[in-house]
Amino acid sequence: MKFVTEIGYSSPKKTIVRGHDIQDLVKNNTFTEGIFLTWQGRLPNEKERKMLDAILVSCMEHGPNAPTILSSRIVASAGNSLNASVAAGVLSVGEHHGGAIEQCAKLFQEQINQTGKQIVKEFEEKKKRIPGYGHKIYTTDPRTVQLLEIAQKLGFFGKFVKLSLEIEKELETLKGKKLCLNVDGCIAALMSELGFSWQYGKGFFIISRTTGIIAHAVEETVKEKPFRRLDESEVEYIGKK
Ligand SMILES: CC(C)(COP(=O)(O)OP(=O)(O)OC[C@H]1O[C@@H](n2cnc3c(N)ncnc32)[C@H](O)[C@@H]1OP(=O)(O)O)[C@@H](O)C(=O)NCCC(=O)NCCS
């Protein structure tokens, strides 16, 4: 069995990540720089690191209402290990929650030469939702507002961000109501500005949200009575009686 990789290797003498000795990385670099290096094959400059840092903070936690946190707490409550609870949280990342980053970044990267209007029209004709827009509770996603402010300051307000905002405007015109560029869509635009391929999209959300997932799984195990169950009032049986 042979794995051919450009990413890293370890031997009794040395551990190398993308050409860097792990000892040097431990001594000189942050975790965010390590992520950039491992995924892109080079260390980021200061501005890139700051932008990626902000992205990773933006979705680290969103309370038990979010599917990732809810599922991990339920699995922890049933008496499972931390790794099972974390896996449950990560498995609930999907097209509608966190997973939209991937589809949205693919859209931006593959259709960067199209206008916002053309993209909105195309989705409307197919009767499909545009990934990265709309939110269950926000009309303006506060995380997007902050990320865009940082992007502006650091010089990442480029063609992908501009396209993302053009789509938001066209969508509002078409639907007659604001469907905001949500944090997934904003990360999709910014990761594209930073040069990450869309295939890494879900990775940003998974790394970031695992922070909250772990905290909630531990809290559930340590502080709550085991075996959560819905109240009768929260379940409605509509089958045969
Ligand atoms: C997040 C989401 C599930 C919220 O859905 P919701 O609560 O049903 O949305 P709303 O009630 O505000 O709006 C529903 C209406 O807006 C439309 N709409 C919502 N998001 C849309 C989108 N991204 N693109 C196009 N239309 C959208 C729906 O088709 C619906 O239209 P209708 O009333 O004519 O049927 C939804 O916006 C969505 O699927 N977005 C894309 C996936 C995504 O980005 N997920 C990450 C969230 S952080």
Side-chain angles (χ1 to χ4, degrees), residues 29-207:
N29 298 101
T30 66
F31 184 46
T32 301
E33 286 170 332
I35 294 168
F36 199 109
L37 171 70
T38 310
W39 291 2
Q40 280 218 28
R42 68 171 175 90
L43 282 164
N45 63 34
E46 187 61 10
K47 287 183 176 176
E48 290 168 329
R49 182 195 58 76
K50 281 188 178 163
M51 193 68 254
L52 182 53
D53 239 342
I55 289 172
L56 293 173
V57 172
S58 69
C59 37
M60 65 182 185
E61 163 61 3
H62 217 209
N65 327 53
T68 32
I69 306 290
L70 183 62
S71 17
S72 99
R73 288 196 80 124
I74 296 292
V75 171
S77 169
N80 288 291
S81 64
L82 181 65
N83 37 325
S85 309
V86 170
V90 171
L91 283 174
S92 76
V93 172
E95 210 178 302
H96 308 299
H97 178 54
I101 304 175
E102 178 182 299
Q103 287 311 311
C104 187
K106 186 170 192 284
L107 170 73
F108 292 154
Q109 291 176 18
E110 289 181 351
Q111 303 200 33
I112 189 62
N113 294 324
Q114 282 195 277
T115 63
K117 198 171 191 152
Q118 286 170 321
I119 292 172
V120 170
K121 186 166 173 270
E122 185 190 315
F123 273 81
E124 183 65 10
E125 281 169 2
K126 289 184 192 156
K127 296 195 184 330
K128 285 178 81 177
R129 291 180 176 207
I130 308 182
Y133 294 84
H135 200 274
K136 276 279 170 207
I137 58 169
Y138 301 134
T139 40
T140 299
D141 191 326
R143 301 163 296 183
T144 294
V145 174
Q146 194 55 60
L147 284 173
L148 291 183
E149 196 183 306
I150 295 169
Q152 183 81 267
K153 272 194 206 136
L154 295 174
F156 295 110
F157 214 95
K159 59 181 180 181
F160 295 105
V161 172
K162 284 178 188 146
L163 177 63
S164 74
L165 294 175
E166 211 183 297
I167 292 174
E168 185 187 46
K169 215 167 117 200
E170 289 297 334
L171 203 50
E172 184 172 356
T173 308
L174 180 83
K175 297 280 180 184
K177 71 169 187 172
K178 187 163 177 191
L179 290 163
C180 65
L181 176 67
N182 60 42
V183 75
D184 285 18
C186 186
I187 293 175
L190 293 172
M191 64 173 271
S192 304
E193 296 290 350
L194 288 169
F196 288 97
S197 153
W198 62 265
Q199 278 91 348
Y200 284 96
K202 284 182 186 147
F204 295 96
F205 189 78
I206 292 168
I207 286 195

Side-chain angles (χ1 to χ4, degrees), residues 216-239:
H216 281 275
V218 171
E219 184 180 70
E220 184 69 32
T221 307
V222 173
K223 295 217 169 138
E224 297 294 333
K225 267 174 69 180
F227 205 129
R228 276 197 194 263
R229 202 170 182 279
L230 295 175
D231 292 336
E232 304 305 310
S233 66
E234 289 169 302
V235 177
E236 185 187 359
Y237 177 70
I238 56 161

